C-alpha cells in the first residue's frame, strides 16, 4: 500500500499546515501532497481511536452477531480516516466481513484518490463492500446543502468526521456553535448501536467570530448537544459521559498521536452514541484526575488521588 500511495498515486511529503486547513478547491498536485503528508496522520489517529473502542469488551459483545457495518466518512478527503477505521475493524473485529460505505467530500480529485485506495486488492481481500461504495463528490456551498445532504442519510453503525468543521465554518456554513450544529445534523442518522466521532485540529479558526481555539468550540458544542438530547451521551472524553451537561468549564481536550511520518500530532475529538450504548461502553467515573491534554490539564468536574487518561475507555 505504501508504494501504491507514493508511487502509483504520486503522494509526496511536504508539510504545509496552512494549506492543509482548506482543501475544497485543491487540485491534483495539492491532493498528492495531502495524500503523502497528512493521509498517514489521519490514518494513525482514526486507527488508534477506533482500536480503543473496538477493544472494549462491552462493545465487542454488542457487535458479536454482526457481519456487516455501515460506515459514513463525512469530509473523507483522500481517506485517511476511513482507512484507519477499516484497519481497526480488520484487526479488532475480525468477524466483520461486509462494509457498506458512504464517503462524502467536496473535492472531486480527493474522492477519486480515496476510491482507488479502497479498491486496492490489499483492502478488498479483507472486506466485501455491498452495495458498491457510495463516493459522493458533492460541493457544499451553504447550510441548505448541509441539511439536504443530511436528509439523504440513513442508519450508520459508525459516523466519522475528522477536520471538517473548521472548513465548513471558513465557508460560512456554520457560525454560532459549529460543533453542536454539525452533530445535530448527523446524530439522527446513527443506528441504535452506532457511534459518531467528530474531531478537529487544535487551531484557531480563520473564520470571523469568537477568538477561540477548536478544542474550546468542541467542548461547548458537545455540552450543548448533550443538553438537547436526553437519549445521547458521550463516550469520550470520559468525564463528559456523566458530567458533560452540567460542566461550564472551557476545557481544552487534546490527545497526541505518534506515527511513522509525524513524531507527534494533536487532535481534539469526542465520540457520542445513544445513551444505552455509551452507558455500556464507557467506564464508571473514578475519584481520579482525568488528564485532558499533554499540558497536564485535568477535568475540573472531578478529582481524586490517581490520574487517568480522559480518552482511554479501557484503562483500569
Amino acid at each position: 500500500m505504501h508504494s501504491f500511495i507514493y508511487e502509483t498515486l504520486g503522494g509526496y511529503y511536504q508539510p504545509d499546515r496552512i494549506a492543509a486547513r482548506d482543501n475544497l478547491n485543491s487540485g491534483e498536485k495539492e491532493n498528492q501532497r495531502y495524500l503523502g503528508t497528512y493521509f498517514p496522520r489521519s490514518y494513525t489517529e482514526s486507527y488508534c481511536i477506533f482500536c480503543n473502542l473496538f477493544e472494549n469488551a462491552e462493545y465487542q459483545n454488542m457487535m458479536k452477531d454482526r457481519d456487516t457495518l455501515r460506515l459514513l466518512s463525512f469530509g473523507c478527503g483522500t481517506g485517511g480516516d476511513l482507512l484507519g477505521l477499516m484497519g481497526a475493524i480488520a484487526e479488532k473485529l475480525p468477524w466483520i466481513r461486509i462494509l457498506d460505505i458512504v464517503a462524502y467530500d467536496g473535492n472531486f480529485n480527493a474522492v477519486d484518490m480515496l476510491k482507488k485506495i479502497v479498491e486496492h486488492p490489499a483492502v478488498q481481500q479483507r472486506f466485501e463492500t455491498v452495495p458498491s461504495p457510495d463516493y459522493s463528490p458533492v460541493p457544499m456551498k451553504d447550510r441548505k446543502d448541509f441539511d439536504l445532504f443530511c436528509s439523504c442519510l440513513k442508519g450508520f453503525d459508525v459516523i466519522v468526521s475528522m477536520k471538517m468543521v473548521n472548513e465548513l465554518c471558513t465557508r460560512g456554513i456554520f457560525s454560532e456553535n459549529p460543533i453542536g450544529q454539525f452533530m445535530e445534523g448527523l446524530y439522527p442518522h446513527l443506528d441504535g448501536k452506532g457511534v459518531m466521532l467528530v474531531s478537529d485540529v487544535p487551531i484557531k479558526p480563520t473564520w470571523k467570530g469568537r477568538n477561540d481555539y477548536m478544542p474550546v468550540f468542541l467542548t461547548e458544542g458537545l455540552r450543548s448537544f448533550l443538553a438537547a438530547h436526553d437519549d445521547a451521551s458521550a463516550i469520550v472524553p470520559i468525564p463528559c459521559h456523566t458530567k458533560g451537561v452540567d460542566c461550564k468549564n472551557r476545557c481544552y481536550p487534546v490527545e497526541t498521536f505518534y506515527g511513522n511520518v509525524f513524531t507527534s500530532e494533536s487532535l481534539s475529538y469526542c465520540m457520542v452514541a445513544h445513551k444505552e450504548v455509551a452507558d455500556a461502553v464507557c467506564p464508571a467515573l473514578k475519584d481520579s484526575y482525568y488528564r485532558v491534554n499533554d499540558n497536564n490539564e485535568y477535568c475540573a468536574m472531578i478529582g481524586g488521588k490517581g490520574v487517568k487518561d480522559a480518552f482511554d475507555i479501557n484503562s483500569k
Side-chain angles (χ1 to χ4, degrees):
M1 184 61 75
H2 183 277
S3 62
F4 182 71
I5 289 174
Y6 287 95
E7 296 174 16
T8 305
L9 295 182
Y12 64 97
Y13 181 74
Q14 187 182 89
D16 188 336
R17 296 175 184 272
I18 302 301
R21 294 179 185 181
D22 190 348
N23 299 288
L24 185 60
N25 297 318
S26 296
E28 182 176 9
K29 194 67 175 176
E30 291 84 359
N31 276 300
Q32 287 173 325
R33 178 184 64 203
Y34 194 95
L35 179 67
T37 307
Y38 297 105
F39 178 99
R41 166 183 172 167
S42 295
Y43 180 98
T44 299
E45 293 163 343
S46 180
Y47 172 81
C48 291
I49 292 169
F50 282 107
C51 276
N52 188 245
L53 173 66
F54 298 156
E55 288 172 353
N56 182 272
E58 293 299 330
Y59 183 83
Q60 289 194 354
N61 186 57
M62 285 190 292
M63 307 306 289
K64 64 182 180 181
D65 297 326
R66 302 284 298 275
D67 65 353
T68 302
L69 291 180
R70 181 166 165 79
L71 315 178
L72 168 65
S73 175
F74 186 83
C76 59
T78 54
D81 60 347
L82 179 60
L83 268 293
L85 167 59
M86 293 171 69
I89 293 170
E91 182 174 333
K92 304 299 181 181
L93 306 177
W95 57 89
I96 301 295
R97 301 300 307 174
I98 301 172
L99 300 180
D100 185 358
I101 298 172
V102 176
Y104 162 81
D105 198 273
N107 187 287
F108 288 68
N109 189 266
V111 172
D112 186 58
M113 288 184 178
L114 165 63
K115 182 178 180 181
K116 291 174 181 177
I117 294 170
V118 173
E119 292 176 350
H120 190 277
V123 177
Q124 290 295 309
Q125 70 180 0
R126 172 58 179 84
F127 295 108
E128 300 174 40
T129 54
V130 59
S132 297
D134 178 7
Y135 305 109
S136 302
V138 182
M140 195 167 287
K141 302 181 295 298
D142 53 35
R143 179 61 185 270
K144 290 182 179 180
D145 286 344
F146 174 76
D147 292 339
L148 179 61
F149 175 82
C150 290
S151 71
C152 298
L153 301 175
K154 61 179 180 180
F156 292 94
D157 298 296
V158 181
I159 295 176
V160 55
S161 184
M162 302 182 72
K163 313 177 185 85
M164 179 67 172
V165 177
N166 180 53
E167 291 197 30
L168 296 178
C169 292
T170 300
R171 299 183 178 281
I173 293 178
F174 296 128
S175 54
E176 298 298 321
N177 189 25
I179 296 289
Q181 292 183 52
F182 187 75
M183 295 175 73
E184 287 281 353
L186 295 179
Y187 174 74
H189 309 291
L190 271 185
D191 187 53
K193 297 180 180 179
V195 295
M196 177 169 66
L197 171 70
V198 178
S199 76
D200 220 309
V201 288
I203 61 174
K204 186 175 291 186
T206 56
W207 43 281
K208 295 179 180 179
R210 285 171 37 202
N211 192 30
D212 270 321
Y213 284 83
M214 284 306 298
V216 175
F217 285 109
L218 185 137
T219 299
E220 294 180 349
L222 174 60
R223 183 163 58 228
S224 70
F225 169 79
L226 294 176
H229 292 272
D230 292 337
D231 64 328
S233 186
I235 296 176
V236 291
I238 294 170
C240 297
H241 176 61
T242 56
K243 304 291 187 179
V245 175
D246 299 326
C247 179
K248 299 292 186 292
N249 298 291
R250 291 166 54 81
C251 189
Y252 198 90
V254 173
E255 186 171 18
T256 301
F257 297 85
Y258 298 86
N260 293 327
V261 178
F262 293 90
T263 54
S264 65
E265 291 294 336
S266 298
L267 187 73
S268 183
Y269 68 93
C270 65
M271 184 180 291
V272 301
H274 294 288
K275 194 173 187 305
E276 58 270 24
V277 174
D279 287 347
V281 170
C282 196
L285 206 60
K286 306 292 186 180
D287 290 330
S288 301
Y289 291 100
Y290 282 80
R291 184 169 50 230
V292 297
N293 59 44
D294 284 347
N295 292 326
N296 288 323
E297 296 178 0
Y298 305 92
C299 172
M301 298 295 291
I302 191 170
K305 295 181 179 180
V307 174
K308 292 187 174 294
D309 183 349
F311 294 98
D312 185 2
I313 62 173
N314 296 309
S315 63
K316 302 298 183 180

